[in-house]
Amino acid sequence: MPAENAPVAGNLDDDDYPAYTMGRAADVLGTTPAFLRAIGEAELIAPLRSEGGHRRYSRRQLRIAARARELVDQGTPIEAACRIISLEDQLDDALRRNQDMRRKLDEQGADT
């Protein structure tokens, strides 16, 4: 593999690399570009823009969009689905921070 292609190939393993066009992302999710635009407008995800101004999505964004689609398919309004996902992410972050703090406190207790 030529060296000039190495950075691009390496990016394909990056969950945050915007590898998917809107059309491809919609196909992968089994949804429409309008759905992707709607969750973007709700600020659930913020796709990067290509030099030509086209939306590009990462695998991480596709997982978030898939969760939104799951909630919408269950009858949740799109705005509510976006808010639920945002709150789930905040809860996960808080739980992770809490666990880290407990671990640090346990380590400090073991040192004394």
Side-chain angles (χ1 to χ4, degrees):
M1 173 170 66
E4 63 269 11
N5 290 339
V8 173
N11 287 338
L12 297 178
D13 291 332
D14 182 354
D15 264 1
D16 294 314
Y17 182 72
Y20 297 87
T21 63
M22 177 179 275
R24 180 69 182 131
D27 287 345
V28 166
L29 295 170
T31 190
T32 64
F35 176 80
L36 291 171
R37 280 191 293 275
I39 62 174
E41 289 168 9
E43 299 180 359
L44 180 62
I45 58 175
L48 286 146
R49 296 284 182 147
S50 68
E51 289 181 17
H54 300 282
R55 291 173 180 88
R56 305 283 297 198
Y57 298 88
S58 69
R59 285 191 305 227
R60 185 179 318 276
Q61 290 172 325
L62 293 186
R63 283 194 300 271
I64 294 167
R67 175 71 175 126
R69 177 159 187 244
E70 177 185 319
L71 290 169
V72 169
D73 286 351
Q74 293 172 358
T76 306
I78 197 160
E79 297 83 10
C82 292
R83 184 68 180 139
I84 289 167
I85 294 166
S86 176
L87 290 170
E88 288 173 342
D89 287 344
Q90 289 175 27
L91 177 59
D92 286 344
D93 288 343
L95 291 171
R96 193 171 20 261
R97 284 192 307 271
N98 188 337
Q99 185 177 28
D100 289 345
M101 291 301 291
R102 287 181 187 275
R103 182 184 44 77
K104 287 177 185 177
L105 287 171
D106 288 345
E107 288 172 1
Q108 287 176 352
D111 291 340
T112 58

